[in-house]
Amino acid sequence: VCEPKNNLGSGLLAFVFPMHFNWFFLRSFQTILHPLCIKYPPSVKYRRHFLSELIKKHEVAAAEPLDELYEALGDVLSAEASTRCYKSYILPSGGAVTVQENVAIISQGTTGLVTWDAGLYLAEWALENPLVFTNRRILELGSGTGLTGITICKACGPRAYAFTDHHQRVLEGLSENIHLNGFFVLSECHRLGGESCGDAELAESQGPSIITAELDWNSVTEQQLAEFQADVVIAADVVFDPDLTQTLVAVLQKLLTSADDSPPEIYIASTCRNPDTYSHFQRALEHAGIRWTVVPGPRKNFFPYDRNTKISILKLLL
């Protein structure tokens, strides 16, 4: 169900079985033929690799052949590859988060149509620190596929959640993924400055009040940011382009200074791909008068991503 980049198969198997589970006893209906996998299929390429590996292990173990596996492999070998696929992640509670995303890392002029490692890392951290979000208003910058925010909405009980991004196709995908996971979008205010995007109550509906909004970091004002009435601000994998650093820091500075009473808590999760780019971001924060502290990362791993990747979470302070 999940698609780990560097650990073929383990994410899907961890969906039902712990990592140490004996492969010889795997049953196809609990993995590739699981209802969730059938309803929301992973990419054709991944399913082909997974089934081939599973069949190899059965054959090496001299286990009794499972016709379902060979039938499933035949189906997927004849399937036409798509530019879109689903990825599903099982939460500790047993519930699932499913997102549809692009197969290509960059498509339609954006990187926001795939889930990045820092987003998974931040989601794991949220699962271990739910009180940061419980009954609070959350603003997410650069929401992308929505994986982090949907996880928080399902597991952490926020009062309200604002998913934001700038690319139109990303915003459309966000709304689709939010609906896919059973949530109602209160307002798709793709342009700020109209009706308030702040706290609103849902009549006869459970769960947080959810909105999606287009947020242009270059032009957003303090007043527009204040409309979100955010108690907590989060972002994942937004520190990757030196040309965007000053713009991002300016938005963070506005968020910290525009609050009527106490400023929001801000958490930024980043993958350190280029040390110079990350250091440039830290220096820009300091130049803007924003202090930061490194937050301890998640202790448990719930999602599949490269564990050797250096990812950190900064909590920003005035």
Side-chain angles (χ1 to χ4, degrees):
V1 176
C2 305
E3 294 195 45
K5 297 183 179 67
N6 298 310
N7 194 8
L8 180 64
S10 65
L12 179 54
L13 299 178
F15 164 62
V16 175
F17 300 101
M19 296 297 292
H20 63 271
F21 193 88
N22 193 323
W23 273 68
F24 301 161
F25 296 100
L26 287 175
R27 291 176 173 82
S28 59
F29 68 88
Q30 292 176 304
T31 53
I32 202 69
L33 298 181
H34 189 279
L36 186 62
C37 192
I38 293 174
K39 186 175 182 180
Y40 303 117
S43 70
V44 170
K45 179 180 178 180
Y46 180 78
R47 283 180 283 154
R48 287 172 181 169
H49 281 298
F50 179 83
L51 279 165
S52 296
E53 290 296 317
L54 187 57
I55 288 172
K56 286 179 184 178
K57 290 182 179 293
H58 270 273
E59 292 175 345
V60 168
E64 181 179 350
L66 294 174
D67 291 340
E68 293 87 351
L69 286 180
Y70 294 96
E71 291 173 3
L73 180 60
D75 290 341
V76 76
L77 286 175
S78 62
E80 183 177 349
S82 171
T83 59
R84 305 279 285 169
C85 69
Y86 292 96
K87 294 185 180 181
S88 295
Y89 305 86
I90 300 304
L91 303 178
S93 63
V97 172
T98 297
V99 294
Q100 187 181 39
E101 58 181 67
N102 272 35
V103 174
I105 292 176
I106 301 176
S107 58
Q108 301 184 49
T110 179
T111 58
L113 296 173
V114 297
T115 301
W116 294 88
D117 286 356
L120 295 166
Y121 187 86
L122 184 57
E124 285 183 339
W125 181 82
L127 290 173
E128 292 187 356
N129 297 273
L131 293 182
V132 172
F133 306 97
T134 301
N135 201 31
R136 305 181 81 183
R137 294 179 291 262
I138 317 301
L139 167 63
E140 183 179 6
L141 305 176
S143 297
T145 65
L147 180 279
T148 304
I150 293 169
T151 299
I152 291 172
C153 288
K154 284 205 168 189
C156 301
R159 179 179 179 182
Y161 201 101
F163 294 82
T164 71
D165 215 290
H166 182 48
H167 196 279
Q168 184 63 34
R169 182 64 192 95
V170 175
L171 289 166
E172 293 170 358
L174 261 175
S175 294
E176 292 168 4
N177 283 334
I178 292 167
H179 287 293
L180 183 67
N181 285 273
F183 290 110
F184 172 77
V185 180
L186 177 68
S187 174
E188 296 180 359
C189 45
H190 290 174
R191 293 281 191 274
L192 292 178
E195 62 181 73
S196 174
C197 293
D199 187 28
E201 299 300 328
L202 287 180
E204 300 181 359
S205 179
Q206 295 182 347
S209 301
I210 293 177
I211 65 167
T212 63
E214 179 179 348
L215 191 63
D216 185 344
W217 295 353
N218 288 296
S219 61
V220 67
T221 66
E222 287 190 14
Q223 181 179 355
Q224 289 171 331
L225 291 171
E227 291 178 4
F228 291 107
Q229 304 174 36
D231 301 308
V232 179
V233 178
I234 64 170
D237 251 329
V238 293
V239 181
F240 59 90
D241 185 348
D243 293 337
L244 296 177
T245 297
Q246 293 299 335
T247 304
L248 171 60
V249 171
V251 171
L252 298 173
Q253 188 177 38
K254 290 174 184 176
L255 284 164
L256 286 167
T257 58
S258 63
D260 293 332
D261 41 24
S262 59
E265 298 175 21
I266 300 181
Y267 300 91
I268 308 295
S270 303
T271 300
C272 187
R273 299 179 183 85
N274 185 324
D276 292 337
T277 300
Y278 195 56
S279 296
H280 177 55
F281 172 64
Q282 292 175 321
R283 290 194 301 271
L285 289 174
E286 294 171 354
H287 184 72
I290 301 174
R291 296 178 294 115
W292 51 266
T293 182
V294 178
V295 176
R299 296 182 298 275
K300 296 181 180 180
N301 299 134
F302 300 113
F303 302 127
Y305 55 87
D306 187 356
R307 305 299 174 187
N308 295 318
T309 302
K310 183 179 179 181
I311 306 175
S312 62
I313 301 175
L314 299 185
K315 180 178 182 179
L316 307 188
L317 308 162
L318 280 178

